[in-house]
Amino acid sequence: MKLTERLRPVLLRWDRFLAVAALALPFVAAMIAGFAWMIEHGWLIEFIVASISLGGLVAAIRLIRIWLRSKGAEDTPRPDQLHARIDPSWSEREITAFKAAQGFIAEKTSAALPWADLQPIAQEVVERVAAASGKGERGVLDFTVPEALLLIDRVAVRLRSDIRDKVPFSDSISVGTLLWLWDRRDVAMKVKKHGWNAWRVIRAVKSLPTAILREIEGVIAEGHSSFVTSEGTAILQALLLEEVAAAAVELYSGRLKFSDSELLDLGLASSELDRARLAASDMPLRVAVAGQISAGKSSLINALMGSDLAEVDVIPTTDEARTYPTEFDGVETMLLDMPGLDGSAKLASKVAAELARADLIIWTVRANRPAREIDRATIAELRALVSGDPRRRMPPVVVAISCVDALLSVWPVPEGHLDDQAMERVTEVVTAVQSDIADARVTANTIPVVLTEPDWNVDRLRARIESLLGPALDTQRNRLRIEGKTTGVLKETSRAGRGLRGALTAFGRKYTHANDASEDDAQP
């Protein structure tokens, strides 16, 4: 190619050439004049020595920066505030599993890792959490589709909250604007680069010594910035892996089975079932009143409610569980009047099975009825039933000893204050009941009461029930999670039936719409 042909494209862009020449001409002239001035005054050698010294200083600073970065990566402590949150509801074993995973993550992320290496490390984190949680037999991906969707939902909600709190203008910048900026990121980087270079030139023209100092400062800052970026990457990777560990703890603890709203739906469905059966209730709190025939269960319910809704008679009046709505300390409650025990093994098993689904139990015993083997045997059957499933929680129990007035020589006493003889008699009865039932955990909350007018000690019984509302609510949550597990052929068949009915309904609507459209087309 001839020289003229090579120069032609350059000459055609004469406007750009003139712009570059106009910018470069002052600097070229200044350089020539500067060299001439240094030669005239004999400073050229000093200038060359100073330039070489400055280059050596910059090279030394770069070497020091590399050494500091390699040393600081091992010595710099991690910020304590950048860790995944520990849920207060986790058990001690779950917290221990998470902290063990944290130690493993800290060891692996002591320095920034290639992002491609995070996947096998995350898999090992999940396996370690599973082993520490006693769920080592579950695989890394051994969870259901609803559990995976719930996990995604929880992470998305937490990410949304963090963005709203910590990212400025996140509520005003649209996704379209972000995509537009991302598509033009190369242009933005070029503008930044050329703008910075132009500023360096202007700074050198204004003051050469200041410009040299700023360049040295920039070299040092560049090294620290690179170090901070590497350390920040390692911290971010550790945080991501800790979130994986937290999600694994949630998965293996069973908390990803249902969200809070789904648990509420389960409770409402069970509550509707209770109202239909007049038997059991999930939400509100389910408090069962049990005991032998004519032990005073219905009278106790009336005393606690302050009304006479429960039927009271000398003959057995409760052959099925009856439900009475009330509340304790602002907590909505269903009092369940259970069938009276008569010594029948079949009825005792039925009552024990119903009590296993209660959130709190009030066991009523007559003070003047020494035959308490039926109570002991039924409570023992209940204990065995609950203990047979390690997932289940034993409901808290309050033992109410009724008809205490029948053992006292004088009743009522003024203002309900018992004398020493009466108090000794009541203490003997309480000790006898505790010995006959022979379950210290059940009889730990034993309250003697009088349920006829004027009643006695009912306020103390109510206070004891209210003090156990916390454990009762924990028992309810435990029961809801167990009852909500989607297992069993019947439940799976019902689910498949609902899906099939939905598909047939959609097909029917589509078929009807198609027929209507064809009839409209057929009309002249």
Side-chain angles (χ1 to χ4, degrees), residues 440-516:
R441 288 173 292 181
V442 168
T443 58
N445 299 291
T446 302
I447 307 294
V449 294
V450 175
L451 303 175
T452 56
E453 292 294 338
D455 59 29
W456 173 75
N457 229 22
V458 175
D459 290 340
R460 184 182 174 194
L461 175 63
R462 175 179 284 274
R464 185 60 58 87
I465 294 171
E466 291 176 352
S467 70
L468 295 173
L469 290 179
L473 289 171
D474 289 339
T475 303
Q476 183 186 76
R477 298 186 190 103
N478 173 261
R479 175 169 54 83
L480 285 176
R481 293 189 185 279
I482 294 175
E483 292 179 355
K485 289 187 179 296
T486 54
T487 56
V489 176
L490 183 60
K491 287 186 178 180
E492 297 300 329
T493 303
S494 175
R495 179 184 299 177
R498 290 195 299 269
L500 182 60
R501 286 195 299 270
L504 292 176
T505 301
F507 178 77
R509 290 176 180 174
K510 184 176 180 181
Y511 180 75
T512 303
H513 179 74
N515 283 343
D516 293 341

Side-chain angles (χ1 to χ4, degrees), residues 15 20 29 47 60 92 125 140 152 158 175 180 199 230 236 273 287 289 322 324 372 409 446 449 502 508:
D15 53 340
V20 172
F47 175 77
E92 183 177 353
V125 167
V140 176
I152 294 172
R158 183 165 52 193
V175 176
W180 184 85
W199 166 244
S230 175
L236 177 59
L273 178 62
V287 178
V289 182
R322 304 291 179 88
Y324 302 95
R372 303 187 183 102
S409 57
T446 302
V449 294

